[in-house]
Amino acid sequence: MTDINNILDGLKFDGNGLIPAIIRDGSSGEVLMMAYMNRGSLEKTLETGYTWFYSRSRQEFWNKGATSGNTQKVLDISYDCDADCLLIQVEQKGVACHTGEKSCFYNKIITAEKDTGSENLGETLKAVYEVILDRQQKRPEKSYTTYLFDKGQDKILKKIGEEAAEIIIASKSDNKEEIIYECGDFVYHMLVLLANHGLTLDDLAKELNKRR
């Protein structure tokens, strides 16, 4: 059995007793934020299963999401080869950044060009779902997704029913372009429904994996 105390003893905290912790979304792999921990906040993280950090300005512990509700459930903790930096994978509820952005690393210096020559369904679903979560959090005006969330579950369910009927009509007509188009509409509204219930793509993946 791993001796946690021995591992903590081997970590290289700096002169102020701190160690940087990089927080990454366990589902998408996206880096969400970086904060500092001391031994005490790391021990509280291990004890509670949720991230705790140490505020250098306030000189006190703080529990991520305690006031905002944007909690981080810990999935995995590792440390680098020099034992002076932590990597923590989490299940992020809501957004990670206090600005309302999903990740604190939203400012770009350079951006790699995306290869549009091929489409990966899994990556596309994740990207669309992240936009839906962003709309759910920020509720920008003139957004159709905002409109659905504002109207609530009955409106979302009505749209899912309508799109299912459209798929049936397109299939009966053997119109392949319409089938793809209507399936796209259905999947989008399905993702909105998942977000409305606080469900994730991981939840859906687990259910589908049971059926393989």
Side-chain angles (χ1 to χ4, degrees):
M1 181 179 294
T2 301
D3 189 329
I4 295 297
N5 285 324
N6 284 341
I7 293 176
L8 298 187
D9 289 341
L11 294 177
K12 296 178 182 177
F13 296 91
D14 67 16
N16 295 312
L18 302 176
I19 189 170
I22 299 168
I23 312 302
R24 185 167 69 178
D25 189 303
S27 175
S28 67
E30 181 181 11
V31 174
L32 299 175
M33 58 179 284
M34 191 283 284
Y36 287 92
M37 290 181 168
N38 63 8
R39 180 159 180 153
S41 64
L42 179 52
E43 287 175 340
K44 287 181 72 69
T45 297
L46 293 169
E47 177 185 347
T48 64
Y50 288 84
T51 55
W52 284 77
F53 304 104
Y54 185 80
S55 171
R56 294 173 295 170
S57 60
R58 300 191 304 273
Q59 295 189 348
E60 63 182 14
F61 294 157
W62 60 281
N63 176 212
K64 178 66 177 176
T67 56
S68 67
N70 297 328
T71 56
Q72 295 173 340
K73 182 179 181 181
V74 175
L75 302 176
D76 178 85
I77 301 178
S78 55
Y79 54 94
D80 72 338
C81 56
D82 293 322
D84 61 1
C85 184
L86 301 175
L87 175 62
I88 304 178
Q89 300 196 76
V90 301
E91 181 181 304
Q92 176 70 51
K93 180 179 180 182
V95 299
C97 186
H98 72 281
T99 64
E101 296 288 340
K102 175 70 182 299
S103 167
C104 292
F105 297 94
Y106 59 88
N107 294 301
K108 302 293 184 183
I109 297 177
I110 59 172
T111 303
E113 294 185 5
K114 295 182 178 180
D115 179 12
T116 58
S118 62
E119 298 294 342
N120 181 294
L121 179 59
E123 292 178 0
T124 300
L125 287 176
K126 286 182 180 179
V128 172
Y129 188 66
E130 287 178 1
V131 172
I132 289 172
L133 291 177
D134 183 72
R135 298 291 189 270
Q136 184 183 30
Q137 178 75 18
K138 298 179 181 176
R139 304 293 175 100
E141 296 182 3
K142 299 181 180 180
S143 163
Y144 176 65
T145 307
T146 296
Y147 165 77
L148 289 176
F149 284 125
D150 285 345
K151 289 295 183 180
Q153 176 175 282
D154 287 347
K155 183 63 177 180
I156 298 170
L157 293 176
K158 181 181 179 183
K159 290 301 299 182
I160 285 179
E162 290 174 357
E163 299 306 335
E166 293 292 341
I167 291 173
I168 293 171
I169 293 171
S171 180
K172 292 291 286 185
S173 301
D174 196 24
N175 188 325
K176 292 181 175 54
E177 289 185 2
E178 283 296 315
I179 291 172
I180 291 296
Y181 181 86
E182 299 301 343
C183 282
D185 275 351
F186 182 86
V187 169
Y188 158 76
H189 287 93
M190 178 197 71
L191 294 177
V192 172
L193 181 67
L194 289 177
N196 191 60
H197 286 284
L199 297 169
T200 68
L201 292 180
D202 282 345
D203 295 322
L204 181 59
K206 289 175 183 176
E207 179 59 32
L208 291 175
N209 280 327
K210 294 177 184 177
R211 309 183 184 201
R212 289 203 299 182

